[in-house]
Amino acid sequence: MFENLLQPIALGPTELRNRIFNPAHGTTLGHRGVVSEELIAYHLARARGGVGLIIMESMTVHPSYSFEDAFLYAGSDRIVDGLNRLATQCRAEGTPVFGQLFHAGRGVRLSHDGSRPLSYSASDVPDERYRVVPVPMPNEMVWELIESYVNAAGRLADADLDGVEILASMGYLIAQFLNSLTNRRNDEFGGSLENRMRFLREILSGCRARIGKGKTLGVRITLDEKTENGQPTAEMIEICRLLEVDGHVDYFSVISGSSASPQGWIHVFPPMSVAQGFVADDAARLKQVVDKPVLVAGRINQPQLAAQIIDAGKADMIGMARALIADSEFVAKVMRGHSEEIRACVACNQACVGHRLAHFPVSCIQNPLSGREHSLGDVQPTSEAKNILVIGAGPAGMKAAVVAAQRGHRVQLHERSGRSGGQVNLAEALPGRAEFGGVTTNLQRELERSGVQLLLNSDLDAEAVARIQPDHVILATGATTRLPEVEVEGVELVDAWSVIRGEFDVGKNVVIADWSCDWTGLGVAEKLAREGRYVRLMSGGSVAGESIQGIVRDHWIGILHGLGVEMTAFARFYGALDGSVYFQHMTGGEPIACEKVDTIVSCYAPQANRTCDWVEDVDGLQLTRIGDAASPRTVEEAVLEGFNAARRV
Ligand SMILES: Cc1cc2nc3c(=O)[nH]c(=O)nc-3n(C[C@H](O)[C@H](O)[C@H](O)COP(=O)(O)O)c2cc1C
Ligand code: SF4
């Protein structure tokens, strides 16, 4: 089934052992613009996991865009040594390494000191997403930029990387030059297609001359920017055709989306509400026009889908950024014939994109080792096998049980309900969120392989605990819902979890009192609006969904808008009387009244579930409390704390 996917391929002079590559992705694991031990350990784990090619994260090339806290900087010779160590170690595991060169142009949101930096572009066309007005690059600066790309490519070659990829995609600087709507220049870099292509062509020919024929040179492009005023797809295909004729490029890598608009940005990091493999048809269109290999990435998280795309001839290689963040051994599992063991990414964007955009190292909600390979190392066997009792089979308890068992402990996992998964079971029941249930599916499979004894419908008491004789108890009982302490009369008040479970017949006119600003309010609003109700979502933050990852939130807000959900920000739930629900504006202090309301759905702060706290009084027990049982937060913290607790017992 995976025969073609696992076939070797050559990109220019570089031979690859299979068709799966790790596309460029910023990790925030570098240190002050250079490669760190953390970054080496991160990529080494993926090379050991069998990936055919690693394309390293965007490196900046010129001081006009060089934020060293976030990006590696290839504009200085300081980059060479670390890159060389990284590439040498990955190659020793069978995985060549390319570096990607990048300049954001007007797509600037970062600053070294809090002030807004000058941004540069082809012309002074404003940017919708960052609301930036760029400085048009003087002609001599354009030539200087070209030289910077070429010098940076030279440094990558000096570091003995196997190849260089030029990022000409996602609406960034080179794309700003290519697009007639963002390039209004009247020098040799603007006007005709030939002139708009000159910037990219000079970069590619210069890079080829500098790195020679012994290294691969590729270009990353976007065929569908999903953006008003984006580059027309047909013109971009023509650009690729002309680049192939020029003869400098060894491959084309296709991605979707753009940095220039919220909708475009969503498609650069597509959340689970975007269809899997949605870029494959773009790649197929390009393949009809060029002979060089075409690479594709975007929501491909299963080997079956990857194989289908390769088998159908739509692309020559499959990129998996988040799938490999979630499971560094993805490829090795396919090669071993155990693809069912893959911890599939659920496209929640929380700990990968979310961390990255907040300037923290990437990780994964399902895989705390990801991004922490250097500091944590492999899970070590215990020198003293103990009896471990884990109470509660939500993500925290499941992860704790798996890791404790992997270390050689004897582990019992008790769950009061008839199903493992905890709140994940609620989240996956919402419209368009079924894939989130993968978190439980993945953990369940890990449990089965680890030898943990899972006991469902198990209501423990002190006697039962005494019989088990645990050396250590991990308390992972999760959270329970609660209602806010406000006066409500003459309107039905129900909690969101009960609504998701279908336990209430919610009325026609609904107000959601959304303290949480997370998936609950957005999800319940979508569910009820799809069921034909008039929904007002009153959020306790500056925007609905403020607490969740921004891209997931933004896509969801668009869906709610389309469904006619009314959204109000900064609304503090105050009370209700006879069909009217009252809020107070959190900053202005004015009252906000919602009339003719049948049902209020409350998304209020959950509380730690303390129903098993009596174990604290059992003599001689060591106890660790994790996840929501300590304080209600998200799956990420639940899994991380389960992982850490099991490493310590
Ligand atoms: C944390 C993160 C950072 C990224 N940074 C880059 C980057 O530096 N350069 C780039 O070309 N793409 C970047 N991407 C986009 C990925 O290469 C990839 O195209 C995208 O994540 C879709 O693929 P996936 O569904 O396999 O994750 C990044 C993606 C992630 C998740
Ligand atoms: S945090 Fe979510 S989106 Fe990111 S790699 Fe993990 S499962 Fe995938």
Side-chain angles (χ1 to χ4, degrees), residues 321-327 343-354 363-367 370 436 439:
R322 291 168 298 173
L324 290 169
I325 296 176
D327 192 342
R343 186 188 301 109
C345 163
V346 297
C348 68
N349 274 356
Q350 184 172 341
C352 51
V353 183
S363 188
C364 173
I365 62 163
Q366 305 188 70
N367 179 11
S370 192
F436 200 68
V439 173

mmCIF file with all atom_site columns, all heavy atoms in Angstrom, residues 321-327 343-354 363-367 370 436 439, ligand 2:
data_model
loop_
_atom_site.group_PDB
_atom_site.id
_atom_site.type_symbol
_atom_site.label_atom_id
_atom_site.label_alt_id
_atom_site.label_comp_id
_atom_site.label_asym_id
_atom_site.label_entity_id
_atom_site.label_seq_id
_atom_site.pdbx_PDB_ins_code
_atom_site.Cartn_x
_atom_site.Cartn_y
_atom_site.Cartn_z
_atom_site.occupancy
_atom_site.B_iso_or_equiv
_atom_site.pdbx_formal_charge
_atom_site.auth_seq_id
_atom_site.auth_comp_id
_atom_site.auth_asym_id
_atom_site.auth_atom_id
_atom_site.pdbx_PDB_model_num
ATOM   1   N  N   . ALA A 1 321 ? 4.461   18.752 8.256  1.00 0.00 ? 321 ALA A N   1
ATOM   2   C  CA  . ALA A 1 321 ? 5.067   19.550 9.324  1.00 0.00 ? 321 ALA A CA  1
ATOM   3   C  C   . ALA A 1 321 ? 4.498   19.099 10.660 1.00 0.00 ? 321 ALA A C   1
ATOM   4   O  O   . ALA A 1 321 ? 5.182   18.513 11.500 1.00 0.00 ? 321 ALA A O   1
ATOM   5   C  CB  . ALA A 1 321 ? 4.822   21.035 9.076  1.00 0.00 ? 321 ALA A CB  1
ATOM   6   N  N   . ARG A 1 322 ? 3.196   19.306 10.839 1.00 0.00 ? 322 ARG A N   1
ATOM   7   C  CA  . ARG A 1 322 ? 2.616   19.003 12.148 1.00 0.00 ? 322 ARG A CA  1
ATOM   8   C  C   . ARG A 1 322 ? 2.540   17.510 12.419 1.00 0.00 ? 322 ARG A C   1
ATOM   9   O  O   . ARG A 1 322 ? 2.688   17.079 13.569 1.00 0.00 ? 322 ARG A O   1
ATOM   10  C  CB  . ARG A 1 322 ? 1.246   19.683 12.251 1.00 0.00 ? 322 ARG A CB  1
ATOM   11  C  CG  . ARG A 1 322 ? 1.388   21.200 12.320 1.00 0.00 ? 322 ARG A CG  1
ATOM   12  C  CD  . ARG A 1 322 ? 0.068   21.894 12.130 1.00 0.00 ? 322 ARG A CD  1
ATOM   13  N  NE  . ARG A 1 322 ? -0.497  21.607 10.819 1.00 0.00 ? 322 ARG A NE  1
ATOM   14  C  CZ  . ARG A 1 322 ? -1.705  21.973 10.431 1.00 0.00 ? 322 ARG A CZ  1
ATOM   15  N  NH1 . ARG A 1 322 ? -2.483  22.646 11.266 1.00 0.00 ? 322 ARG A NH1 1
ATOM   16  N  NH2 . ARG A 1 322 ? -2.147  21.706 9.211  1.00 0.00 ? 322 ARG A NH2 1
ATOM   17  N  N   . ALA A 1 323 ? 2.347   16.711 11.362 1.00 0.00 ? 323 ALA A N   1
ATOM   18  C  CA  . ALA A 1 323 ? 2.281   15.264 11.593 1.00 0.00 ? 323 ALA A CA  1
ATOM   19  C  C   . ALA A 1 323 ? 3.583   14.751 12.205 1.00 0.00 ? 323 ALA A C   1
ATOM   20  O  O   . ALA A 1 323 ? 3.576   13.825 13.025 1.00 0.00 ? 323 ALA A O   1
ATOM   21  C  CB  . ALA A 1 323 ? 1.985   14.543 10.288 1.00 0.00 ? 323 ALA A CB  1
ATOM   22  N  N   . LEU A 1 324 ? 4.710   15.369 11.796 1.00 0.00 ? 324 LEU A N   1
ATOM   23  C  CA  . LEU A 1 324 ? 6.004   14.946 12.350 1.00 0.00 ? 324 LEU A CA  1
ATOM   24  C  C   . LEU A 1 324 ? 6.317   15.631 13.670 1.00 0.00 ? 324 LEU A C   1
ATOM   25  O  O   . LEU A 1 324 ? 7.143   15.146 14.438 1.00 0.00 ? 324 LEU A O   1
ATOM   26  C  CB  . LEU A 1 324 ? 7.117   15.191 11.334 1.00 0.00 ? 324 LEU A CB  1
ATOM   27  C  CG  . LEU A 1 324 ? 7.074   14.278 10.110 1.00 0.00 ? 324 LEU A CG  1
ATOM   28  C  CD1 . LEU A 1 324 ? 8.035   14.776 9.042  1.00 0.00 ? 324 LEU A CD1 1
ATOM   29  C  CD2 . LEU A 1 324 ? 7.410   12.845 10.478 1.00 0.00 ? 324 LEU A CD2 1
ATOM   30  N  N   . ILE A 1 325 ? 5.664   16.765 13.925 1.00 0.00 ? 325 ILE A N   1
ATOM   31  C  CA  . ILE A 1 325 ? 5.789   17.364 15.264 1.00 0.00 ? 325 ILE A CA  1
ATOM   32  C  C   . ILE A 1 325 ? 5.075   16.451 16.261 1.00 0.00 ? 325 ILE A C   1
ATOM   33  O  O   . ILE A 1 325 ? 5.556   16.188 17.367 1.00 0.00 ? 325 ILE A O   1
ATOM   34  C  CB  . ILE A 1 325 ? 5.190   18.791 15.296 1.00 0.00 ? 325 ILE A CB  1
ATOM   35  C  CG1 . ILE A 1 325 ? 5.968   19.736 14.381 1.00 0.00 ? 325 ILE A CG1 1
ATOM   36  C  CG2 . ILE A 1 325 ? 5.178   19.339 16.723 1.00 0.00 ? 325 ILE A CG2 1
ATOM   37  C  CD1 . ILE A 1 325 ? 5.391   21.153 14.276 1.00 0.00 ? 325 ILE A CD1 1
ATOM   38  N  N   . ALA A 1 326 ? 3.914   15.932 15.831 1.00 0.00 ? 326 ALA A N   1
ATOM   39  C  CA  . ALA A 1 326 ? 3.139   15.062 16.724 1.00 0.00 ? 326 ALA A CA  1
ATOM   40  C  C   . ALA A 1 326 ? 3.806   13.709 16.908 1.00 0.00 ? 326 ALA A C   1
ATOM   41  O  O   . ALA A 1 326 ? 3.715   13.100 17.975 1.00 0.00 ? 326 ALA A O   1
ATOM   42  C  CB  . ALA A 1 326 ? 1.730   14.866 16.171 1.00 0.00 ? 326 ALA A CB  1
ATOM   43  N  N   . ASP A 1 327 ? 4.464   13.218 15.861 1.00 0.00 ? 327 ASP A N   1
ATOM   44  C  CA  . ASP A 1 327 ? 5.077   11.886 15.956 1.00 0.00 ? 327 ASP A CA  1
ATOM   45  C  C   . ASP A 1 327 ? 6.342   11.858 15.113 1.00 0.00 ? 327 ASP A C   1
ATOM   46  O  O   . ASP A 1 327 ? 6.290   11.707 13.889 1.00 0.00 ? 327 ASP A O   1
ATOM   47  C  CB  . ASP A 1 327 ? 4.095   10.814 15.467 1.00 0.00 ? 327 ASP A CB  1
ATOM   48  C  CG  . ASP A 1 327 ? 4.574   9.412  15.822 1.00 0.00 ? 327 ASP A CG  1
ATOM   49  O  OD1 . ASP A 1 327 ? 5.783   9.249  16.113 1.00 0.00 ? 327 ASP A OD1 1
ATOM   50  O  OD2 . ASP A 1 327 ? 3.749   8.495  15.819 1.00 0.00 ? 327 ASP A OD2 1
ATOM   51  N  N   . ARG A 1 343 ? 0.854   8.431  15.983 1.00 0.00 ? 343 ARG A N   1
ATOM   52  C  CA  . ARG A 1 343 ? 0.082   9.390  16.800 1.00 0.00 ? 343 ARG A CA  1
ATOM   53  C  C   . ARG A 1 343 ? -0.313  10.537 15.868 1.00 0.00 ? 343 ARG A C   1
ATOM   54  O  O   . ARG A 1 343 ? 0.430   11.492 15.663 1.00 0.00 ? 343 ARG A O   1
ATOM   55  C  CB  . ARG A 1 343 ? 0.978   9.910  17.932 1.00 0.00 ? 343 ARG A CB  1
ATOM   56  C  CG  . ARG A 1 343 ? 0.265   10.789 18.925 1.00 0.00 ? 343 ARG A CG  1
ATOM   57  C  CD  . ARG A 1 343 ? 1.232   11.421 19.898 1.00 0.00 ? 343 ARG A CD  1
ATOM   58  N  NE  . ARG A 1 343 ? 2.016   10.460 20.659 1.00 0.00 ? 343 ARG A NE  1
ATOM   59  C  CZ  . ARG A 1 343 ? 3.322   10.237 20.495 1.00 0.00 ? 343 ARG A CZ  1
ATOM   60  N  NH1 . ARG A 1 343 ? 4.008   10.930 19.599 1.00 0.00 ? 343 ARG A NH1 1
ATOM   61  N  NH2 . ARG A 1 343 ? 3.959   9.355  21.228 1.00 0.00 ? 343 ARG A NH2 1
ATOM   62  N  N   . ALA A 1 344 ? -1.488  10.402 15.263 1.00 0.00 ? 344 ALA A N   1
ATOM   63  C  CA  . ALA A 1 344 ? -1.857  11.347 14.203 1.00 0.00 ? 344 ALA A CA  1
ATOM   64  C  C   . ALA A 1 344 ? -2.123  12.739 14.765 1.00 0.00 ? 344 ALA A C   1
ATOM   65  O  O   . ALA A 1 344 ? -2.772  12.892 15.800 1.00 0.00 ? 344 ALA A O   1
ATOM   66  C  CB  . ALA A 1 344 ? -3.095  10.836 13.474 1.00 0.00 ? 344 ALA A CB  1
ATOM   67  N  N   . CYS A 1 345 ? -1.606  13.724 14.045 1.00 0.00 ? 345 CYS A N   1
ATOM   68  C  CA  . CYS A 1 345 ? -1.867  15.137 14.392 1.00 0.00 ? 345 CYS A CA  1
ATOM   69  C  C   . CYS A 1 345 ? -3.352  15.426 14.177 1.00 0.00 ? 345 CYS A C   1
ATOM   70  O  O   . CYS A 1 345 ? -3.949  14.968 13.208 1.00 0.00 ? 345 CYS A O   1
ATOM   71  C  CB  . CYS A 1 345 ? -1.010  16.005 13.475 1.00 0.00 ? 345 CYS A CB  1
ATOM   72  S  SG  . CYS A 1 345 ? -1.540  17.727 13.397 1.00 0.00 ? 345 CYS A SG  1
ATOM   73  N  N   . VAL A 1 346 ? -3.947  16.197 15.084 1.00 0.00 ? 346 VAL A N   1
ATOM   74  C  CA  . VAL A 1 346 ? -5.378  16.508 14.951 1.00 0.00 ? 346 VAL A CA  1
ATOM   75  C  C   . VAL A 1 346 ? -5.617  17.951 14.478 1.00 0.00 ? 346 VAL A C   1
ATOM   76  O  O   . VAL A 1 346 ? -6.749  18.439 14.513 1.00 0.00 ? 346 VAL A O   1
ATOM   77  C  CB  . VAL A 1 346 ? -6.139  16.253 16.275 1.00 0.00 ? 346 VAL A CB  1
ATOM   78  C  CG1 . VAL A 1 346 ? -6.074  14.782 16.656 1.00 0.00 ? 346 VAL A CG1 1
ATOM   79  C  CG2 . VAL A 1 346 ? -5.605  17.134 17.406 1.00 0.00 ? 346 VAL A CG2 1
ATOM   80  N  N   . ALA A 1 347 ? -4.549  18.614 14.051 1.00 0.00 ? 347 ALA A N   1
ATOM   81  C  CA  . ALA A 1 347 ? -4.665  19.975 13.479 1.00 0.00 ? 347 ALA A CA  1
ATOM   82  C  C   . ALA A 1 347 ? -5.354  20.958 14.427 1.00 0.00 ? 347 ALA A C   1
ATOM   83  O  O   . ALA A 1 347 ? -6.167  21.780 14.004 1.00 0.00 ? 347 ALA A O   1
ATOM   84  C  CB  . ALA A 1 347 ? -5.372  19.931 12.124 1.00 0.00 ? 347 ALA A CB  1
ATOM   85  N  N   . CYS A 1 348 ? -5.009  20.864 15.701 1.00 0.00 ? 348 CYS A N   1
ATOM   86  C  CA  . CYS A 1 348 ? -5.557  21.821 16.677 1.00 0.00 ? 348 CYS A CA  1
ATOM   87  C  C   . CYS A 1 348 ? -4.729  23.103 16.720 1.00 0.00 ? 348 CYS A C   1
ATOM   88  O  O   . CYS A 1 348 ? -5.194  24.132 17.215 1.00 0.00 ? 348 CYS A O   1
ATOM   89  C  CB  . CYS A 1 348 ? -5.579  21.191 18.068 1.00 0.00 ? 348 CYS A CB  1
ATOM   90  S  SG  . CYS A 1 348 ? -3.927  20.903 18.754 1.00 0.00 ? 348 CYS A SG  1
ATOM   91  N  N   . ASN A 1 349 ? -3.490  23.025 16.237 1.00 0.00 ? 349 ASN A N   1
ATOM   92  C  CA  . ASN A 1 349 ? -2.560  24.175 16.157 1.00 0.00 ? 349 ASN A CA  1
ATOM   93  C  C   . ASN A 1 349 ? -2.100  24.701 17.515 1.00 0.00 ? 349 ASN A C   1
ATOM   94  O  O   . ASN A 1 349 ? -1.383  25.709 17.575 1.00 0.00 ? 349 ASN A O   1
ATOM   95  C  CB  . ASN A 1 349 ? -3.192  25.345 15.379 1.00 0.00 ? 349 ASN A CB  1
ATOM   96  C  CG  . ASN A 1 349 ? -2.968  25.208 13.893 1.00 0.00 ? 349 ASN A CG  1
ATOM   97  O  OD1 . ASN A 1 349 ? -2.282  24.288 13.451 1.00 0.00 ? 349 ASN A OD1 1
ATOM   98  N  ND2 . ASN A 1 349 ? -3.540  26.092 13.118 1.00 0.00 ? 349 ASN A ND2 1
ATOM   99  N  N   . GLN A 1 350 ? -2.475  24.045 18.587 1.00 0.00 ? 350 GLN A N   1
ATOM   100 C  CA  . GLN A 1 350 ? -2.287  24.668 19.901 1.00 0.00 ? 350 GLN A CA  1
ATOM   101 C  C   . GLN A 1 350 ? -0.817  24.809 20.322 1.00 0.00 ? 350 GLN A C   1
ATOM   102 O  O   . GLN A 1 350 ? -0.354  25.902 20.604 1.00 0.00 ? 350 GLN A O   1
ATOM   103 C  CB  . GLN A 1 350 ? -3.066  23.867 20.955 1.00 0.00 ? 350 GLN A CB  1
ATOM   104 C  CG  . GLN A 1 350 ? -3.005  24.496 22.329 1.00 0.00 ? 350 GLN A CG  1
ATOM   105 C  CD  . GLN A 1 350 ? -3.942  23.811 23.316 1.00 0.00 ? 350 GLN A CD  1
ATOM   106 O  OE1 . GLN A 1 350 ? -4.869  23.119 22.920 1.00 0.00 ? 350 GLN A OE1 1
ATOM   107 N  NE2 . GLN A 1 350 ? -3.693  24.002 24.600 1.00 0.00 ? 350 GLN A NE2 1
ATOM   108 N  N   . ALA A 1 351 ? -0.110  23.671 20.370 1.00 0.00 ? 351 ALA A N   1
ATOM   109 C  CA  . ALA A 1 351 ? 1.241   23.736 20.933 1.00 0.00 ? 351 ALA A CA  1
ATOM   110 C  C   . ALA A 1 351 ? 2.326   23.906 19.862 1.00 0.00 ? 351 ALA A C   1
ATOM   111 O  O   . ALA A 1 351 ? 3.469   24.215 20.186 1.00 0.00 ? 351 ALA A O   1
ATOM   112 C  CB  . ALA A 1 351 ? 1.531   22.488 21.764 1.00 0.00 ? 351 ALA A CB  1
ATOM   113 N  N   . CYS A 1 352 ? 1.964   23.715 18.590 1.00 0.00 ? 352 CYS A N   1
ATOM   114 C  CA  . CYS A 1 352 ? 2.959   23.911 17.524 1.00 0.00 ? 352 CYS A CA  1
ATOM   115 C  C   . CYS A 1 352 ? 2.880   25.356 17.040 1.00 0.00 ? 352 CYS A C   1
ATOM   116 O  O   . CYS A 1 352 ? 3.673   26.214 17.448 1.00 0.00 ? 352 CYS A O   1
ATOM   117 C  CB  . CYS A 1 352 ? 2.741   22.900 16.401 1.00 0.00 ? 352 CYS A CB  1
ATOM   118 S  SG  . CYS A 1 352 ? 1.045   22.829 15.806 1.00 0.00 ? 352 CYS A SG  1
ATOM   119 N  N   . VAL A 1 353 ? 1.871   25.646 16.230 1.00 0.00 ? 353 VAL A N   1
ATOM   120 C  CA  . VAL A 1 353 ? 1.714   27.010 15.711 1.00 0.00 ? 353 VAL A CA  1
ATOM   121 C  C   . VAL A 1 353 ? 1.489   27.993 16.865 1.00 0.00 ? 353 VAL A C   1
ATOM   122 O  O   . VAL A 1 353 ? 2.057   29.092 16.890 1.00 0.00 ? 353 VAL A O   1
ATOM   123 C  CB  . VAL A 1 353 ? 0.516   27.067 14.733 1.00 0.00 ? 353 VAL A CB  1
ATOM   124 C  CG1 . VAL A 1 353 ? 0.389   28.460 14.148 1.00 0.00 ? 353 VAL A CG1 1
ATOM   125 C  CG2 . VAL A 1 353 ? 0.674   26.037 13.631 1.00 0.00 ? 353 VAL A CG2 1
ATOM   126 N  N   . GLY A 1 354 ? 0.674   27.578 17.824 1.00 0.00 ? 354 GLY A N   1
ATOM   127 C  CA  . GLY A 1 354 ? 0.366   28.457 18.955 1.00 0.00 ? 354 GLY A CA  1
ATOM   128 C  C   . GLY A 1 354 ? 1.621   28.879 19.690 1.00 0.00 ? 354 GLY A C   1
ATOM   129 O  O   . GLY A 1 354 ? 1.842   30.064 19.959 1.00 0.00 ? 354 GLY A O   1
ATOM   130 N  N   . SER A 1 363 ? 5.891   22.568 20.328 1.00 0.00 ? 363 SER A N   1
ATOM   131 C  CA  . SER A 1 363 ? 5.697   21.248 20.916 1.00 0.00 ? 363 SER A CA  1
ATOM   132 C  C   . SER A 1 363 ? 4.384   20.713 20.376 1.00 0.00 ? 363 SER A C   1
ATOM   133 O  O   . SER A 1 363 ? 3.884   21.206 19.357 1.00 0.00 ? 363 SER A O   1
ATOM   134 C  CB  . SER A 1 363 ? 5.693   21.332 22.444 1.00 0.00 ? 363 SER A CB  1
ATOM   135 O  OG  . SER A 1 363 ? 5.688   20.028 22.995 1.00 0.00 ? 363 SER A OG  1
ATOM   136 N  N   . CYS A 1 364 ? 3.834   19.698 21.047 1.00 0.00 ? 364 CYS A N   1
ATOM   137 C  CA  . CYS A 1 364 ? 2.576   19.112 20.601 1.00 0.00 ? 364 CYS A CA  1
ATOM   138 C  C   . CYS A 1 364 ? 1.737   18.772 21.818 1.00 0.00 ? 364 CYS A C   1
ATOM   139 O  O   . CYS A 1 364 ? 2.265   18.247 22.806 1.00 0.00 ? 364 CYS A O   1
ATOM   140 C  CB  . CYS A 1 364 ? 2.853   17.849 19.781 1.00 0.00 ? 364 CYS A CB  1
ATOM   141 S  SG  . CYS A 1 364 ? 1.342   16.943 19.370 1.00 0.00 ? 364 CYS A SG  1
ATOM   142 N  N   . ILE A 1 365 ? 0.444   19.043 21.745 1.00 0.00 ? 365 ILE A N   1
ATOM   143 C  CA  . ILE A 1 365 ? -0.407  18.731 22.907 1.00 0.00 ? 365 ILE A CA  1
ATOM   144 C  C   . ILE A 1 365 ? -0.398  17.245 23.215 1.00 0.00 ? 365 ILE A C   1
ATOM   145 O  O   . ILE A 1 365 ? -0.625  16.844 24.348 1.00 0.00 ? 365 ILE A O   1
ATOM   146 C  CB  . ILE A 1 365 ? -1.874  19.194 22.713 1.00 0.00 ? 365 ILE A CB  1
ATOM   147 C  CG1 . ILE A 1 365 ? -2.546  18.489 21.532 1.00 0.00 ? 365 ILE A CG1 1
ATOM   148 C  CG2 . ILE A 1 365 ? -1.970  20.710 22.573 1.00 0.00 ? 365 ILE A CG2 1
ATOM   149 C  CD1 . ILE A 1 365 ? -4.067  18.589 21.552 1.00 0.00 ? 365 ILE A CD1 1
ATOM   150 N  N   . GLN A 1 366 ? -0.140  16.427 22.195 1.00 0.00 ? 366 GLN A N   1
ATOM   151 C  CA  . GLN A 1 366 ? -0.174  14.980 22.410 1.00 0.00 ? 366 GLN A CA  1
ATOM   152 C  C   . GLN A 1 366 ? 1.194   14.412 22.740 1.00 0.00 ? 366 GLN A C   1
ATOM   153 O  O   . GLN A 1 366 ? 1.307   13.259 23.153 1.00 0.00 ? 366 GLN A O   1
ATOM   154 C  CB  . GLN A 1 366 ? -0.669  14.271 21.149 1.00 0.00 ? 366 GLN A CB  1
ATOM   155 C  CG  . GLN A 1 366 ? -2.005  14.734 20.635 1.00 0.00 ? 366 GLN A CG  1
ATOM   156 C  CD  . GLN A 1 366 ? -2.463  13.827 19.520 1.00 0.00 ? 366 GLN A CD  1
ATOM   157 O  OE1 . GLN A 1 366 ? -2.811  12.682 19.748 1.00 0.00 ? 366 GLN A OE1 1
ATOM   158 N  NE2 . GLN A 1 366 ? -2.447  14.317 18.291 1.00 0.00 ? 366 GLN A NE2 1
ATOM   159 N  N   . ASN A 1 367 ? 2.218   15.200 22.468 1.00 0.00 ? 367 ASN A N   1
ATOM   160 C  CA  . ASN A 1 367 ? 3.574   14.664 22.549 1.00 0.00 ? 367 ASN A CA  1
ATOM   161 C  C   . ASN A 1 367 ? 4.503   15.677 23.214 1.00 0.00 ? 367 ASN A C   1
ATOM   162 O  O   . ASN A 1 367 ? 5.183   16.452 22.539 1.00 0.00 ? 367 ASN A O   1
ATOM   163 C  CB  . ASN A 1 367 ? 4.062   14.339 21.125 1.00 0.00 ? 367 ASN A CB  1
ATOM   164 C  CG  . ASN A 1 367 ? 5.477   13.800 21.123 1.00 0.00 ? 367 ASN A CG  1
ATOM   165 O  OD1 . ASN A 1 367 ? 6.043   13.467 22.172 1.00 0.00 ? 367 ASN A OD1 1
ATOM   166 N  ND2 . ASN A 1 367 ? 6.052   13.711 19.932 1.00 0.00 ? 367 ASN A ND2 1
ATOM   167 N  N   . SER A 1 370 ? 8.114   16.432 22.072 1.00 0.00 ? 370 SER A N   1
ATOM   168 C  CA  . SER A 1 370 ? 8.378   17.181 20.858 1.00 0.00 ? 370 SER A CA  1
ATOM   169 C  C   . SER A 1 370 ? 8.852   18.590 21.210 1.00 0.00 ? 370 SER A C   1
ATOM   170 O  O   . SER A 1 370 ? 8.207   19.308 21.981 1.00 0.00 ? 370 SER A O   1
ATOM   171 C  CB  . SER A 1 370 ? 7.095   17.246 20.023 1.00 0.00 ? 370 SER A CB  1
ATOM   172 O  OG  . SER A 1 370 ? 7.380   17.704 18.747 1.00 0.00 ? 370 SER A OG  1
ATOM   173 N  N   . PHE A 1 436 ? -10.739 15.800 16.677 1.00 0.00 ? 436 PHE A N   1
ATOM   174 C  CA  . PHE A 1 436 ? -10.102 16.001 17.978 1.00 0.00 ? 436 PHE A CA  1
ATOM   175 C  C   . PHE A 1 436 ? -10.142 14.722 18.817 1.00 0.00 ? 436 PHE A C   1
ATOM   176 O  O   . PHE A 1 436 ? -9.284  14.508 19.683 1.00 0.00 ? 436 PHE A O   1
ATOM   177 C  CB  . PHE A 1 436 ? -10.778 17.156 18.726 1.00 0.00 ? 436 PHE A CB  1
ATOM   178 C  CG  . PHE A 1 436 ? -9.924  17.729 19.818 1.00 0.00 ? 436 PHE A CG  1
ATOM   179 C  CD1 . PHE A 1 436 ? -8.770  18.425 19.513 1.00 0.00 ? 436 PHE A CD1 1
ATOM   180 C  CD2 . PHE A 1 436 ? -10.251 17.544 21.147 1.00 0.00 ? 436 PHE A CD2 1
ATOM   181 C  CE1 . PHE A 1 436 ? -7.961  18.936 20.510 1.00 0.00 ? 436 PHE A CE1 1
ATOM   182 C  CE2 . PHE A 1 436 ? -9.452  18.056 22.157 1.00 0.00 ? 436 PHE A CE2 1
ATOM   183 C  CZ  . PHE A 1 436 ? -8.303  18.751 21.837 1.00 0.00 ? 436 PHE A CZ  1
ATOM   184 N  N   . VAL A 1 439 ? -7.146  12.417 19.760 1.00 0.00 ? 439 VAL A N   1
ATOM   185 C  CA  . VAL A 1 439 ? -6.305  12.484 20.962 1.00 0.00 ? 439 VAL A CA  1
ATOM   186 C  C   . VAL A 1 439 ? -6.577  11.250 21.836 1.00 0.00 ? 439 VAL A C   1
ATOM   187 O  O   . VAL A 1 439 ? -5.649  10.590 22.321 1.00 0.00 ? 439 VAL A O   1
ATOM   188 C  CB  . VAL A 1 439 ? -6.589  13.777 21.761 1.00 0.00 ? 439 VAL A CB  1
ATOM   189 C  CG1 . VAL A 1 439 ? -5.852  13.781 23.086 1.00 0.00 ? 439 VAL A CG1 1
ATOM   190 C  CG2 . VAL A 1 439 ? -6.207  15.004 20.936 1.00 0.00 ? 439 VAL A CG2 1
HETATM 191 S  S1  . SF4 B 2 .   ? -0.351  20.538 18.790 1.00 0.00 ? 2   SF4 B S1  1
HETATM 192 FE FE1 . SF4 B 2 .   ? -2.138  19.857 17.616 1.00 0.00 ? 2   SF4 B FE1 1
HETATM 193 S  S2  . SF4 B 2 .   ? -1.759  20.627 15.543 1.00 0.00 ? 2   SF4 B S2  1
HETATM 194 FE FE2 . SF4 B 2 .   ? 0.159   20.789 16.642 1.00 0.00 ? 2   SF4 B FE2 1
HETATM 195 S  S3  . SF4 B 2 .   ? 1.235   18.900 16.104 1.00 0.00 ? 2   SF4 B S3  1
HETATM 196 FE FE3 . SF4 B 2 .   ? 0.138   18.499 17.997 1.00 0.00 ? 2   SF4 B FE3 1
HETATM 197 S  S4  . SF4 B 2 .   ? -1.844  17.646 17.407 1.00 0.00 ? 2   SF4 B S4  1
HETATM 198 FE FE4 . SF4 B 2 .   ? -0.922  18.581 15.597 1.00 0.00 ? 2   SF4 B FE4 1
#
